[in-house]
């Protein structure tokens, strides 16, 4: 009887457990409305490395560069991206999804600013709400994903 109760408890815990949130860099290439409560985003996942000890070490382990000096030579702006897999993926937003654009703050530095869904997608279409895009309808973003849903999407500052 105890085994049955333990097994039942484990099944209940496993079925209600949520997947850990993961972060993924991507290029947002298309947006499709999925009714009034969500949007389906078409994304091209990329590798993103910033000028930080952790990311430079990741770039070295991935054999993108051989040293910190090479990283700085290849990425003088402090940001390096690679797109080795052209497969596009589709993920959905939810009513809980939060959106951030890179904007100048009062100290004249670029920082993420939480914005509405409408403002975020107007920026993706080319509106210069905050930091302008080089090409409309192509925005480099970082996604926080739980399961198959996007819980946060942040524009990446491209120097």
């Amino acid at each position: 009887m105890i085994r049955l109760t333990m097994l039942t408890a484990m099944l209940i815990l496993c079925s209600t457990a949520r997947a850990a949130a993961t972060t993924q860099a991507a290029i947002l290439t298309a947006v499709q409305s999925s009714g009034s409560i969500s949007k389906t985003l078409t994304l091209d996942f990329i590798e993103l490395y910033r000028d930080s000890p952790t990311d430079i070490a990741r770039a070295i382990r991935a054999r993108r560069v051989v040293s910190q000096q090479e990283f700085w030579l290849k990425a003088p702006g402090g940001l390096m991206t690679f797109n080795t897999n052209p497969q596009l993926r589709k993920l959905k937003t939810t009513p809980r999804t939060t959106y951030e654009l890179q904007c100048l703050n009062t100290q004249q530095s670029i920082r993420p600013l939480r914005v509405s869904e409408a403002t975020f997608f107007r920026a993706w279409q080319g509106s210069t709400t905050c930091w302008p895009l080089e090409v409309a309808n192509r925005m480099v973003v970082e996604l926080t994903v739980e399961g198959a849903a996007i819980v946060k999407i942040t524009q990446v500052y491209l120097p």
Side-chain angles (χ1 to χ4, degrees), residues 18 22 26 28 30-45 88-99 117 120-121 141-153:
R18 296 179 82 159
T22 59
L28 174 59
V31 177
Q32 179 182 6
S33 287
S34 302
S36 61
I37 60 168
S38 71
K39 295 196 181 315
T40 300
L41 308 185
T42 303
L43 301 148
D44 188 357
F45 287 4
L88 298 178
R89 291 147 178 101
K90 293 184 184 277
L91 292 174
K92 289 187 184 270
T93 63
T94 71
R96 296 179 340 179
T97 302
T98 58
Y99 302 87
E117 177 187 89
F120 185 88
F121 289 114
V141 295
E142 278 189 315
L143 310 166
T144 303
V145 179
E146 283 183 5
I150 300 169
V151 294
K152 181 177 170 187
I153 182 167

Side-chain angles (χ1 to χ4, degrees), residues 42-120:
T42 303
L43 301 148
D44 188 357
F45 287 4
I46 61 173
E47 296 173 50
L48 176 72
Y49 303 98
R50 288 191 171 89
D51 185 8
S52 72
T54 303
D55 275 5
I56 292 172
R58 274 190 329 111
I60 291 169
R61 280 193 309 276
R63 297 189 172 145
R64 297 300 185 188
V65 294
V66 295
S67 67
Q68 186 176 39
Q69 289 75 22
E70 184 182 4
F71 181 92
W72 291 333
L73 287 172
K74 287 186 172 182
L79 189 73
M80 182 182 288
T81 62
F82 292 93
N83 187 357
T84 57
N85 182 349
Q87 177 184 353
L88 298 178
R89 291 147 178 101
K90 293 184 184 277
L91 292 174
K92 289 187 184 270
T93 63
T94 71
R96 296 179 340 179
T97 302
T98 58
Y99 302 87
E100 294 180 338
L101 291 173
Q102 299 296 333
C103 300
L104 279 173
N105 65 14
T106 56
Q107 289 80 32
Q108 295 299 305
S109 59
I110 304 291
R111 293 285 181 253
L113 175 69
R114 190 170 178 174
V115 297
S116 70
E117 177 187 89
T119 299
F120 185 88

Side-chain angles (χ1 to χ4, degrees), residues 117-150:
E117 177 187 89
T119 299
F120 185 88
F121 289 114
R122 275 196 308 274
W124 172 74
Q125 292 170 334
S127 167
T128 56
T129 304
C130 286
W131 193 253
L133 302 178
E134 288 183 28
V135 179
N137 301 331
R138 288 186 60 83
M139 180 189 289
V140 178
V141 295
E142 278 189 315
L143 310 166
T144 303
V145 179
E146 283 183 5
I150 300 169

